[in-house]
Amino acid sequence: MSGTLDGQGSTPGSTPTTVTQCNESSDFRAAFNAAQLAMAVVGRDGLVRSANHALGELLGTDPAGLADAPAADFTGLREDARTWSAYREVLLGRRDRLHCTRRLKQRGGRQGVWAEVIVTPLPDSCDALLSVADISDRRDLRARLRHLRMHDPVTRLPNRSLFFERLTAALAAPGRGTGRAAGRGAVTGRIGLLYLDLDGFKAINDTLGHRAGDRLLGAVAKRLAECAAPGGHLVARLGGDEFALLVEESTGTQQLVDLATRVQSRIQQPFDMAGQRLAVSASIGVVERPAAGTHATELMQAADTTLYWAKADGKARWTLFDPERNAHRMTRQALSSTLRPAVERDEFVLQYQPLVGLGDGVVRGVEALVRWRHPQFGTLAPNRFIGLAEETGAIVPLGRWVLATACRQARRWQLAHPREPIVVSVNVAVRQVWDSDLVADVAAILTETGLPPSLLQLELTESAVMGSAGRPLQQLQQLSDMGVAIAIDDFGTGYSNLAYLSRLPVSTLKLDGSFVRGFRSEEPPNPADETIVEALVQLAHRLGIKVTAECVESAEQAERLGRIGCDTGQGWFYSRPVPADSISALLSTGVRP
């Protein structure tokens, strides 16, 4: 017999199996009870088979009293559906491990410590080992570190990171709420935002120093928190002197407007800072909309745009987001960004409006007017993009293209009608005079096209010409010496200095349409209008300057303007702006417009 039990003894040199199992079981039990880690053995049915002393101390109860108790009850594993499912999978042997953080429940249902809970199957058994580690200190430290990371050290308000976390959560789960506002009032599924910036804060920072600026920011934060407290709204400092108030479950625009009014009034009250009284105001952008379908980035862009409007409209005010105004802004931005490429893509076209002699009705010239055939927005008139072109500098390449195209067309008309040459008038922006060598451009284009300088007229606005000195005046004089005519457009609406006309190389004044409207037949004649225009015409003629009347819309206007001495007229009475072919047909037939 070798190594087998016969009931009487055992083979010499061997250990009885029953003794080994007993010793191992005894050792396990001793280690289980003496362990500092709270543990329990849990059966497949989820009931505690046995619990050690450490678990009893952690729960504040006798460990023997935990026998046959559902482990999920005091560990909180049943409170979360996903955790509960994973726990059941471990007990049934279908999953190797469950690791989670739960809030323990003590005797009487009281909330206990935060704990790290681990459940693993025991080998060669239908039971599982539940271990529970107190992580309250670790969690508190983590919470303190998170608080420091998520709050502004100057104002102690939530910072940008926490604000966006709360905003994203509110938009992701509309109707449930995520912060202090949760559970207050009706569930509306809407969200509101005040985005504010302090007016004049930089001046305080620059003059009194950053320490004073920080104290002021702290005082502003306190007032904002007071305004937001009744509604439980989140207040955050987003950076610099920018703050945001988040209104979850907004009841509508009026709630946001009322809050903005209170904030503005409170901020405008003087601050007493170490004996100094400081006054600031706030510009506020107000946005309110349904939470569903709104993205955090989109909402902040709308708020930032609205804050910009409040600043642009004069500061110290709140401005409500306006979708129509925003659409116009977006259109401006789209046009602004595509202006320069549009010149290269040949998206612009010229139309021409006749300049007609008021005495004989003969076409003396045409004004070139640019249109933008935009692939998305259709054909755009100059008032939609010329201002943008001047702001961005795109007016320089665009103006050069207009000038070259108009001169080429004028040369064609000259060759086709040598006996009746017509002048082409081209608008020139102030920035073209300053940002480019206009004289060189004009000279090169005239040489390239073969157009005589006498058949080119450049139009500049009155505000651009009056008071010109230095380089602009020198360029105008050089162009005039070259033989190019210079006209002042919209004369009478800007900063008229009639005496200055004698020093400018101007050949034509174009009277603004506001003067001509007083000559309409359907309106009672105003003697003052005729007197003013007649005086301007006489003054211009004495200076050797011709006069063109713009916006002529009727035969009576044309007759009266011709009678008081205007040289040429331009307007819908003669023709709307038309393509070059229509002007060519007009010149070929000799028919007056």
Side-chain angles (χ1 to χ4, degrees), residues 350-354 367 369 371 575-583:
L350 291 186
Q351 293 184 341
Y352 301 88
Q353 190 171 34
E367 179 181 354
L369 300 168
R371 302 289 187 266
S575 172
R576 293 174 180 264
V578 293
D581 291 345
S582 298
I583 299 294

Side-chain angles (χ1 to χ4, degrees), residues 562-586:
R563 190 174 62 245
I564 63 176
C566 287
D567 300 287
T568 53
Q570 176 183 356
W572 287 4
F573 170 63
Y574 299 109
S575 172
R576 293 174 180 264
V578 293
D581 291 345
S582 298
I583 299 294
S584 299
L586 181 68

Side-chain angles (χ1 to χ4, degrees), residues 63-122:
L66 294 175
D68 295 327
D73 288 354
F74 59 78
T75 55
L77 295 176
R78 204 190 300 268
E79 295 176 2
D80 178 75
R82 182 177 297 178
T83 303
W84 170 248
S85 175
Y87 173 59
R88 296 296 303 164
E89 291 289 303
V90 173
L91 294 183
L92 294 173
R94 299 173 186 164
R95 181 180 176 132
D96 293 336
R97 176 185 174 92
L98 169 64
H99 186 184
C100 62
T101 300
R102 308 304 300 170
R103 188 78 177 266
L104 300 184
K105 289 186 178 180
Q106 295 182 326
R107 182 183 296 172
R110 293 181 295 108
Q111 292 282 2
V113 300
W114 282 97
E116 181 181 62
V117 178
I118 299 176
V119 185
T120 55
L122 287 171

Side-chain angles (χ1 to χ4, degrees), residues 139-340:
R139 188 178 178 88
D140 289 345
L141 176 61
R142 195 174 294 167
R144 287 195 297 271
L145 292 175
R146 172 180 163 79
H147 182 86
L148 291 174
R149 191 176 71 251
M150 293 294 194
H151 286 74
D152 172 53
V154 174
T155 63
R156 302 183 185 277
L157 290 177
N159 61 15
R160 177 181 288 270
S161 296
L162 181 54
F163 172 79
F164 273 95
E165 182 180 288
R166 283 278 301 275
L167 175 60
T168 302
L171 293 174
R176 291 202 297 269
T178 57
R180 290 180 296 170
R184 294 191 182 189
V187 173
T188 64
R190 302 185 67 83
I191 196 163
L193 178 63
L194 300 187
Y195 188 21
L196 67 95
D197 176 277
L198 299 181
D199 305 318
F201 177 74
K202 185 178 185 301
I204 292 174
N205 240 0
D206 292 344
T207 56
L208 301 181
H210 289 278
R211 182 172 297 179
D214 286 350
R215 287 200 299 269
L216 177 59
L217 290 175
V220 168
K222 184 178 179 181
R223 292 188 183 182
L224 292 176
E226 292 171 354
C227 292
H233 310 311
L234 175 72
V235 183
R237 181 191 178 198
L238 301 187
D241 59 340
E242 295 179 355
F243 297 84
L245 283 79
L246 178 64
V247 179
E248 299 180 41
E249 302 304 333
S250 163
T251 58
T253 300
Q254 191 59 50
Q255 181 188 14
L256 273 294
V257 169
D258 291 343
L259 180 58
T261 303
R262 288 198 305 273
V263 166
Q264 202 161 53
S265 174
R266 192 77 178 91
I267 296 298
Q268 286 177 344
Q269 296 173 11
F271 291 86
D272 189 358
M273 309 295 297
Q276 286 185 307
R277 288 174 66 82
L278 302 179
V280 294
S281 59
S283 297
I284 308 174
V286 182
V287 183
E288 200 278 340
R289 59 182 55 176
T294 298
H295 191 273
T297 303
E298 173 194 350
L299 188 66
M300 289 305 299
Q301 285 177 343
D304 184 65
T305 296
T306 311
L307 173 59
Y308 171 80
W309 293 343
K311 290 280 192 183
D313 291 344
K315 302 182 180 180
R317 68 191 65 214
W318 58 262
T319 301
L320 189 64
F321 182 76
D322 180 358
E324 185 175 339
R325 184 175 180 180
N326 186 59
H328 178 71
R329 180 189 70 87
M330 296 296 287
T331 301
R332 268 181 64 91
Q333 186 175 350
L335 294 178
S336 178
S337 62
T338 56
L339 260 168
R340 286 181 182 271

Side-chain angles (χ1 to χ4, degrees), residues 358-522:
L358 289 172
D360 55 13
V362 174
V363 176
R364 305 292 184 191
V366 293
E367 179 181 354
L369 300 168
V370 65
R371 302 289 187 266
W372 186 357
R373 295 176 300 188
H374 196 281
Q376 179 181 355
F377 302 115
T379 301
L380 303 179
N383 63 341
R384 293 288 302 277
F385 61 87
I386 290 297
L388 288 174
E390 291 181 351
E391 291 175 16
T392 61
I395 192 66
V396 174
L398 175 59
R400 191 179 292 119
W401 177 88
V402 170
L403 183 63
T405 304
C407 287
R408 277 195 294 271
Q409 182 58 57
R411 175 61 172 164
R412 295 189 194 103
W413 286 326
Q414 183 204 13
L415 294 175
H417 309 280
R419 295 182 181 180
E420 299 175 343
I422 63 172
V423 173
V424 64
S425 192
V426 179
N427 291 278
V428 175
V430 180
R431 195 156 181 176
Q432 286 178 260
V433 179
W434 281 106
D435 293 1
S436 67
D437 192 340
L438 183 61
V439 176
D441 285 345
V442 170
I445 290 171
L446 291 177
T447 300
E448 175 193 341
T449 61
L451 183 71
S454 59
L455 297 184
L456 174 63
Q457 176 174 273
L458 301 181
E459 295 187 20
L460 291 91
T461 60
E462 178 184 347
S463 58
V465 175
M466 291 302 179
S468 291
R471 184 166 181 249
L473 181 57
Q474 292 173 5
Q475 292 204 58
L476 292 180
Q477 189 61 59
Q478 291 174 20
L479 289 167
S480 179
D481 294 344
M482 191 187 299
V484 175
I486 305 296
I488 300 179
D489 194 17
D490 300 328
F491 185 78
T493 61
Y495 310 96
S496 301
N497 183 344
L498 298 179
Y500 205 74
L501 284 175
S502 62
R503 287 174 251 157
L504 290 171
V506 175
S507 58
T508 301
L509 295 182
K510 298 189 73 176
L511 293 181
D512 185 70
S514 59
F515 288 104
V516 178
R517 291 189 189 99
F519 289 74
R520 290 177 178 173
S521 59
E522 64 269 16

